[in-house]
Amino acid sequence: MTLSRRKFLAVGTSAAAAAAAGLTGCGSRSSLGASNELSMWTWVGSVNDDLIAQAEKAIPGYDGMKLAMTRIGTNYKTKVLTALAGKSLVPDIVAINDDVATYFPNADQFHDLFELGAKDLEKDFLPWKWKLGITPENKMMAYPMDTGPTALFYRSDVFTKAGIDIDPAAVAGLAPDWDAYIALGKKLKQAVPGSAITDNIQGVYDYRMAQQPKRYMTSDGQYIGDQDHVRQSFDLAVRVVKEGLSANAQNSTDKNAVVTNGKLVAYNAAVWWAQLGPKNAAPKTKGLWRVTAAPGGAGNRGGSFLGITKYCKNPEAAFAFISWLESAKNQAQAFLDPVLFPSTPATYTDPTLTAPDPFFGGQQIVDVFAESAKKYPGAYFSPYDSIIGTPIGKELVNIEASGKDPDQAWADAQRQIERELTRAGAI
């Protein structure tokens, strides 16, 4: 399936419209907030509060301007796209999640950050993260914030019961790839019945795909979501279930439960899972967890960006703010709270990050995640990844939850994808 540039723009606009009830609104163009304010929308837990408090007094280098930030609780993306569609009372600055490519069809509603001086700061960031914010037309629409490098989390007490050396380097040596990880899982399950090495089938698929150098489409619009790298990730996820190594936790409550009750003893996941999973769901396991290099190699899942809208009342001040907020020094502060992993490698040696983490037995976990972030090969994310990934995810759940035949599930997923891309005019 190949997507022309004309269709790319048309489909992208259509996809955005589906989320935003259309970008066809009209009216006078204006930004949100007073003339001496830079308005910013983001979601809860996306920025460091102390840094924001400083900017709310004065934008660094622009004493006559200050920040006015709004945290959006629900339906964030829809509200941003709706504001853009209305072209009135649009925030000057918006946070954008890891689905940044879905905004590319609306890139004309954002400033090109290259024109504001971004090129001079490129050397400070992970190359693959930097590229994710650049459109196929070489316009820099989004500035890097945090990342989501992946690693293997594991329970040292359970590994000890199974007679496995708990040293992170030893565990990495035992499970350098997914085949070895499955063998390790079988040993754990034999020693401690009920042990699982993933929360559910999609956990394996998502994190295997997060290690791939390619995903569902090429940058010139060719559909590759039916090729071997996707099918092999699909089959790997099925295999983990067939081996009885999945906890079959299909919703957030159950996912927390399998961490709390100790069923999930190892998990290949992104850095943010440390807080979302064991620290929140199983605080009594403090000191028992460790992390090491993930089976199958480096990966990334998650991470966000900042964009300056075309309606911004002072683009130069806005760029000064976002480049200050995402400097190496300030990303170290954002790692402490709200635990955002930096996209600036210089931060990885900051004492803030290298301090031993008592929850992980005093391990310096930044070393593991920094290596993953630096080694991740990067991949092209298209505006249609969610359209393609959703049917695959649903069919994987059908396999684990309902026993659906995997070959039939794969075929059904591909039919659904073709139908959705056709409906969108992409193929």
Side-chain angles (χ1 to χ4, degrees):
M1 305 176 192
T2 301
L3 188 66
S4 68
R5 172 176 163 73
R6 180 180 61 80
K7 284 184 175 179
F8 173 89
L9 294 171
V11 173
T13 301
S14 175
L23 288 180
T24 57
C26 57
S28 60
R29 295 188 171 207
S30 65
S31 64
L32 186 66
S35 59
N36 67 335
E37 290 180 343
L38 289 177
S39 54
M40 175 180 173
W41 281 6
T42 187
W43 54 86
V44 176
S46 64
V47 289
N48 177 271
D49 289 342
D50 291 339
L51 295 172
I52 294 301
Q54 291 181 47
E56 286 175 337
K57 294 177 181 175
I59 299 296
Y62 286 80
D63 289 343
M65 298 291 295
K66 61 182 181 179
L67 186 73
M69 195 179 80
T70 300
R71 292 178 175 82
I72 307 293
T74 58
N75 300 319
Y76 176 80
K77 185 176 180 180
T78 298
K79 290 174 181 174
V80 170
L81 293 174
T82 300
L84 291 171
K87 299 180 180 178
S88 180
L89 300 179
V90 181
D92 297 293
I93 302 166
V94 294
I96 298 172
N97 217 324
D98 64 342
D99 59 348
V100 59
T102 63
Y103 288 80
F104 284 175
N106 306 314
D108 62 341
Q109 302 209 48
F110 291 85
H111 277 280
D112 183 350
L113 302 181
F114 283 141
E115 296 178 355
L116 295 171
K119 192 69 179 177
D120 294 340
L121 301 171
E122 179 178 359
K123 63 183 183 305
D124 296 340
F125 291 85
L126 294 163
W128 60 264
K129 177 72 178 183
W130 186 264
K131 290 178 183 176
L132 289 175
I134 300 173
T135 71
E137 294 76 23
N138 200 37
K139 176 178 180 176
M140 188 169 192
M141 197 202 76
Y143 197 75
M145 293 179 74
D146 60 308
T147 64
T150 62
L152 179 64
F153 295 80
Y154 61 96
R155 282 276 298 268
S156 63
D157 55 330
V158 177
F159 274 50
T160 298
K161 286 182 182 178
I164 299 169
D165 187 345
I166 64 170
D167 180 75
V171 173
L174 285 172
D177 53 41
W178 285 89
D179 286 342
Y181 184 46
I182 290 172
L184 184 65
K186 290 180 179 178
K187 185 174 182 178
L188 287 164
K189 187 178 180 182
Q190 187 173 26
V192 182
S195 294
I197 61 170
T198 183
D199 55 2
N200 60 42
I201 189 171
Q202 193 163 0
V204 176
Y205 175 79
D206 287 342
Y207 281 107
R208 180 59 187 136
M209 285 296 295
Q211 297 172 326
Q212 301 277 6
K214 53 186 178 180
R215 291 177 56 81
Y216 300 128
M217 299 193 81
T218 63
S219 59
D220 61 355
Q222 181 183 0
Y223 175 65
I224 56 172
D226 55 354
Q227 295 187 0
D228 287 349
H229 66 289
V230 180
R231 181 62 198 255
Q232 289 168 0
S233 299
F234 185 93
D235 289 344
L236 174 68
V238 173
R239 183 179 163 201
V240 170
V241 171
K242 297 292 185 186
E243 296 285 3
L245 298 173
S246 169
N248 192 16
Q250 302 296 339
N251 57 53
S252 58
T253 300
D254 289 345
K255 288 179 183 179
N256 284 337
V258 297
V259 178
T260 305
N261 65 25
K263 184 170 185 176
L264 187 64
V265 302
Y267 191 35
N268 183 359
V271 60
W272 42 260
W273 187 76
Q275 191 67 40
L276 190 68
K279 288 187 176 181
N280 280 341
K284 292 182 179 178
T285 60
K286 179 180 178 179
L288 301 179
W289 289 88
R290 302 286 187 277
V291 293
T292 192
N300 184 82
R301 189 168 177 226
S304 48
F305 300 83
L306 290 168
I308 300 173
T309 70
K310 274 291 187 183
Y311 315 94
C312 180
K313 56 183 76 72
N314 191 331
E316 289 75 19
F319 183 72
F321 165 67
I322 66 172
S323 56
W324 167 81
L325 184 67
E326 302 309 326
S327 65
K329 177 184 176 184
N330 285 341
Q331 288 208 35
Q333 190 164 337
F335 176 76
L336 282 181
D337 181 22
V339 199
L340 302 177
F341 199 82
S343 54
T344 46
T347 315
Y348 301 156
T349 55
D350 189 291
T352 303
L353 276 76
T354 58
D357 189 331
F359 196 87
F360 291 91
Q363 185 182 356
Q364 292 178 303
I365 65 172
V366 65
D367 294 344
V368 177
F369 291 108
E371 280 300 295
S372 183
K374 289 187 284 189
K375 291 180 178 176
Y376 172 56
Y380 173 71
F381 284 69
S382 83
Y384 318 105
D385 277 23
S386 60
I387 291 176
I388 299 164
T390 297
I392 294 175
K394 288 181 177 177
E395 290 299 332
L396 284 169
V397 172
N398 286 338
I399 293 170
E400 182 166 35
S402 306
K404 187 171 183 176
D405 176 73
D407 288 335
Q408 186 63 51
W410 173 260
D412 288 347
Q414 292 301 323
R415 272 194 290 272
Q416 292 172 57
I417 292 166
E418 183 172 5
R419 183 168 62 243
E420 292 302 320
L421 291 179
T422 300
R423 180 180 299 168
I427 56 176

